[in-house]
PDB file of all heavy atoms in Angstrom:
ATOM      1  N   LEU H  30     154.209 178.039-104.828  1.00 89.00           N
ATOM      2  CA  LEU H  30     154.927 176.809-104.422  1.00 89.00           C
ATOM      3  C   LEU H  30     156.131 177.101-103.551  1.00 89.00           C
ATOM      4  O   LEU H  30     156.587 176.198-102.819  1.00 89.00           O
ATOM      5  CB  LEU H  30     155.410 176.048-105.668  1.00 89.00           C
ATOM      6  CG  LEU H  30     154.398 175.235-106.447  1.00 89.00           C
ATOM      7  CD1 LEU H  30     155.051 174.627-107.653  1.00 89.00           C
ATOM      8  CD2 LEU H  30     153.826 174.127-105.588  1.00 89.00           C
ATOM      9  N   ALA H  31     156.596 178.309-103.561  1.00 91.00           N
ATOM     10  CA  ALA H  31     157.734 178.667-102.698  1.00 91.00           C
ATOM     11  C   ALA H  31     157.399 178.461-101.231  1.00 91.00           C
ATOM     12  O   ALA H  31     158.231 178.037-100.438  1.00 91.00           O
ATOM     13  CB  ALA H  31     158.145 180.130-102.934  1.00 91.00           C
ATOM     14  N   TYR H  32     156.104 178.729-100.865  1.00 92.00           N
ATOM     15  CA  TYR H  32     155.698 178.518 -99.474  1.00 92.00           C
ATOM     16  C   TYR H  32     155.750 177.038 -99.133  1.00 92.00           C
ATOM     17  O   TYR H  32     156.230 176.631 -98.044  1.00 92.00           O
ATOM     18  CB  TYR H  32     154.314 179.081 -99.239  1.00 92.00           C
ATOM     19  CG  TYR H  32     154.158 180.538 -99.520  1.00 92.00           C
ATOM     20  CD1 TYR H  32     153.240 181.011-100.447  1.00 92.00           C
ATOM     21  CD2 TYR H  32     154.997 181.467 -98.902  1.00 92.00           C
ATOM     22  CE1 TYR H  32     153.141 182.361-100.726  1.00 92.00           C
ATOM     23  CE2 TYR H  32     154.908 182.831 -99.181  1.00 92.00           C
ATOM     24  CZ  TYR H  32     153.960 183.246-100.101  1.00 92.00           C
ATOM     25  OH  TYR H  32     153.863 184.581-100.359  1.00 92.00           O
ATOM     26  N   ALA H  33     155.255 176.209-100.007  1.00 91.00           N
ATOM     27  CA  ALA H  33     155.294 174.759 -99.771  1.00 91.00           C
ATOM     28  C   ALA H  33     156.740 174.265 -99.747  1.00 91.00           C
ATOM     29  O   ALA H  33     157.066 173.437 -98.899  1.00 91.00           O
ATOM     30  CB  ALA H  33     154.491 174.033-100.881  1.00 91.00           C
ATOM     31  N   ALA H  34     157.568 174.766-100.652  1.00 93.00           N
ATOM     32  CA  ALA H  34     158.959 174.335-100.657  1.00 93.00           C
ATOM     33  C   ALA H  34     159.649 174.698 -99.358  1.00 93.00           C
ATOM     34  O   ALA H  34     160.411 173.882 -98.804  1.00 93.00           O
ATOM     35  CB  ALA H  34     159.680 174.944-101.817  1.00 93.00           C
ATOM     36  N   ALA H  35     159.365 175.877 -98.851  1.00 94.00           N
ATOM     37  CA  ALA H  35     159.995 176.300 -97.558  1.00 94.00           C
ATOM     38  C   ALA H  35     159.520 175.430 -96.412  1.00 94.00           C
ATOM     39  O   ALA H  35     160.318 174.964 -95.597  1.00 94.00           O
ATOM     40  CB  ALA H  35     159.678 177.755 -97.269  1.00 94.00           C
ATOM     41  N   ALA H  36     158.224 175.164 -96.317  1.00 95.00           N
ATOM     42  CA  ALA H  36     157.686 174.338 -95.263  1.00 95.00           C
ATOM     43  C   ALA H  36     158.198 172.926 -95.342  1.00 95.00           C
ATOM     44  O   ALA H  36     158.603 172.322 -94.318  1.00 95.00           O
ATOM     45  CB  ALA H  36     156.158 174.344 -95.321  1.00 95.00           C
ATOM     46  N   LEU H  37     158.263 172.347 -96.556  1.00 95.00           N
ATOM     47  CA  LEU H  37     158.793 171.015 -96.720  1.00 95.00           C
ATOM     48  C   LEU H  37     160.311 170.948 -96.412  1.00 95.00           C
ATOM     49  O   LEU H  37     160.783 169.962 -95.916  1.00 95.00           O
ATOM     50  CB  LEU H  37     158.513 170.494 -98.136  1.00 95.00           C
ATOM     51  CG  LEU H  37     157.025 170.168 -98.383  1.00 95.00           C
ATOM     52  CD1 LEU H  37     156.829 169.849 -99.856  1.00 95.00           C
ATOM     53  CD2 LEU H  37     156.550 169.024 -97.523  1.00 95.00           C
ATOM     54  N   GLY H  38     161.034 172.051 -96.721  1.00 94.00           N
ATOM     55  CA  GLY H  38     162.421 172.084 -96.378  1.00 94.00           C
ATOM     56  C   GLY H  38     162.643 172.074 -94.875  1.00 94.00           C
ATOM     57  O   GLY H  38     163.563 171.334 -94.393  1.00 94.00           O
ATOM     58  N   VAL H  39     161.875 172.807 -94.154  1.00 96.00           N
ATOM     59  CA  VAL H  39     161.995 172.773 -92.651  1.00 96.00           C
ATOM     60  C   VAL H  39     161.625 171.389 -92.143  1.00 96.00           C
ATOM     61  O   VAL H  39     162.292 170.860 -91.264  1.00 96.00           O
ATOM     62  CB  VAL H  39     161.103 173.873 -92.024  1.00 96.00           C
ATOM     63  CG1 VAL H  39     160.984 173.686 -90.531  1.00 96.00           C
ATOM     64  CG2 VAL H  39     161.640 175.249 -92.378  1.00 96.00           C
ATOM     65  N   LEU H  40     160.516 170.809 -92.685  1.00 96.00           N
ATOM     66  CA  LEU H  40     160.155 169.471 -92.227  1.00 96.00           C
ATOM     67  C   LEU H  40     161.230 168.449 -92.524  1.00 96.00           C
ATOM     68  O   LEU H  40     161.577 167.603 -91.697  1.00 96.00           O
ATOM     69  CB  LEU H  40     158.849 169.058 -92.943  1.00 96.00           C
ATOM     70  CG  LEU H  40     158.356 167.656 -92.618  1.00 96.00           C
ATOM     71  CD1 LEU H  40     157.999 167.521 -91.148  1.00 96.00           C
ATOM     72  CD2 LEU H  40     157.144 167.293 -93.499  1.00 96.00           C
ATOM     73  N   HIS H  41     161.821 168.520 -93.703  1.00 95.00           N
ATOM     74  CA  HIS H  41     162.906 167.623 -94.089  1.00 95.00           C
ATOM     75  C   HIS H  41     164.093 167.760 -93.145  1.00 95.00           C
ATOM     76  O   HIS H  41     164.664 166.776 -92.689  1.00 95.00           O
ATOM     77  CB  HIS H  41     163.317 167.890 -95.522  1.00 95.00           C
ATOM     78  CG  HIS H  41     164.493 167.085 -95.969  1.00 95.00           C
ATOM     79  ND1 HIS H  41     164.443 165.749 -96.209  1.00 95.00           N
ATOM     80  CD2 HIS H  41     165.772 167.449 -96.232  1.00 95.00           C
ATOM     81  CE1 HIS H  41     165.617 165.297 -96.587  1.00 95.00           C
ATOM     82  NE2 HIS H  41     166.445 166.308 -96.601  1.00 95.00           N
ATOM     83  N   PHE H  42     164.462 168.990 -92.841  1.00 95.00           N
ATOM     84  CA  PHE H  42     165.583 169.274 -91.936  1.00 95.00           C
ATOM     85  C   PHE H  42     165.252 168.670 -90.556  1.00 95.00           C
ATOM     86  O   PHE H  42     166.116 168.022 -89.909  1.00 95.00           O
ATOM     87  CB  PHE H  42     165.829 170.760 -91.840  1.00 95.00           C
ATOM     88  CG  PHE H  42     167.075 171.170 -91.064  1.00 95.00           C
ATOM     89  CD1 PHE H  42     168.134 170.315 -90.938  1.00 95.00           C
ATOM     90  CD2 PHE H  42     167.142 172.440 -90.534  1.00 95.00           C
ATOM     91  CE1 PHE H  42     169.281 170.724 -90.250  1.00 95.00           C
ATOM     92  CE2 PHE H  42     168.261 172.833 -89.841  1.00 95.00           C
ATOM     93  CZ  PHE H  42     169.317 171.986 -89.689  1.00 95.00           C
ATOM     94  N   TYR H  43     164.019 168.859 -90.060  1.00 95.00           N
ATOM     95  CA  TYR H  43     163.623 168.350 -88.781  1.00 95.00           C
ATOM     96  C   TYR H  43     163.734 166.810 -88.750  1.00 95.00           C
ATOM     97  O   TYR H  43     164.218 166.231 -87.770  1.00 95.00           O
ATOM     98  CB  TYR H  43     162.193 168.779 -88.460  1.00 95.00           C
ATOM     99  CG  TYR H  43     161.672 168.259 -87.174  1.00 95.00           C
ATOM    100  CD1 TYR H  43     161.998 168.862 -85.952  1.00 95.00           C
ATOM    101  CD2 TYR H  43     160.853 167.122 -87.117  1.00 95.00           C
ATOM    102  CE1 TYR H  43     161.509 168.383 -84.748  1.00 95.00           C
ATOM    103  CE2 TYR H  43     160.369 166.619 -85.918  1.00 95.00           C
ATOM    104  CZ  TYR H  43     160.711 167.242 -84.738  1.00 95.00           C
ATOM    105  OH  TYR H  43     160.259 166.741 -83.532  1.00 95.00           O
ATOM    106  N   LEU H  44     163.269 166.151 -89.805  1.00 95.00           N
ATOM    107  CA  LEU H  44     163.309 164.685 -89.838  1.00 95.00           C
ATOM    108  C   LEU H  44     164.732 164.140 -89.995  1.00 95.00           C
ATOM    109  O   LEU H  44     164.985 163.018 -89.592  1.00 95.00           O
ATOM    110  CB  LEU H  44     162.427 164.196 -90.979  1.00 95.00           C
ATOM    111  CG  LEU H  44     160.918 164.470 -90.827  1.00 95.00           C
ATOM    112  CD1 LEU H  44     160.179 164.027 -92.087  1.00 95.00           C
ATOM    113  CD2 LEU H  44     160.362 163.769 -89.576  1.00 95.00           C
ATOM    114  N   ARG H  45     165.604 164.929 -90.593  1.00 96.00           N
ATOM    115  CA  ARG H  45     167.000 164.471 -90.758  1.00 96.00           C
ATOM    116  C   ARG H  45     167.843 164.544 -89.489  1.00 96.00           C
ATOM    117  O   ARG H  45     168.784 163.819 -89.349  1.00 96.00           O
ATOM    118  CB  ARG H  45     167.670 165.280 -91.888  1.00 96.00           C
ATOM    119  CG  ARG H  45     167.121 165.101 -93.248  1.00 96.00           C
ATOM    120  CD  ARG H  45     167.583 163.876 -93.909  1.00 96.00           C
ATOM    121  NE  ARG H  45     169.032 163.840 -93.962  1.00 96.00           N
ATOM    122  CZ  ARG H  45     169.777 162.858 -94.291  1.00 96.00           C
ATOM    123  NH1 ARG H  45     169.202 161.702 -94.602  1.00 96.00           N
ATOM    124  NH2 ARG H  45     171.064 162.884 -94.326  1.00 96.00           N
ATOM    125  N   VAL H  46     167.479 165.486 -88.615  1.00 94.00           N
ATOM    126  CA  VAL H  46     168.253 165.671 -87.405  1.00 94.00           C
ATOM    127  C   VAL H  46     167.910 164.557 -86.419  1.00 94.00           C
ATOM    128  O   VAL H  46     166.751 164.206 -86.229  1.00 94.00           O
ATOM    129  CB  VAL H  46     167.927 167.061 -86.779  1.00 94.00           C
ATOM    130  CG1 VAL H  46     168.564 167.203 -85.403  1.00 94.00           C
ATOM    131  CG2 VAL H  46     168.410 168.154 -87.695  1.00 94.00           C
ATOM    132  N   LYS H  47     168.924 163.998 -85.782  1.00 85.00           N
ATOM    133  CA  LYS H  47     168.716 162.844 -84.911  1.00 85.00           C
ATOM    134  C   LYS H  47     168.485 163.250 -83.461  1.00 85.00           C
ATOM    135  O   LYS H  47     167.575 162.758 -82.822  1.00 85.00           O
ATOM    136  CB  LYS H  47     169.934 161.910 -84.979  1.00 85.00           C
ATOM    137  CG  LYS H  47     170.182 161.366 -86.364  1.00 85.00           C
ATOM    138  CD  LYS H  47     169.063 160.491 -86.830  1.00 85.00           C
ATOM    139  CE  LYS H  47     169.394 159.902 -88.180  1.00 85.00           C
ATOM    140  NZ  LYS H  47     168.271 159.623 -88.978  1.00 85.00           N
TER     141      LYS H  47
END
Side-chain angles (χ1 to χ4, degrees):
L30 281 176
Y32 301 123
L37 289 172
V39 169
L40 177 64
H41 176 70
F42 188 25
Y43 178 81
L44 293 174
R45 294 281 303 170
V46 172
K47 300 295 184 208

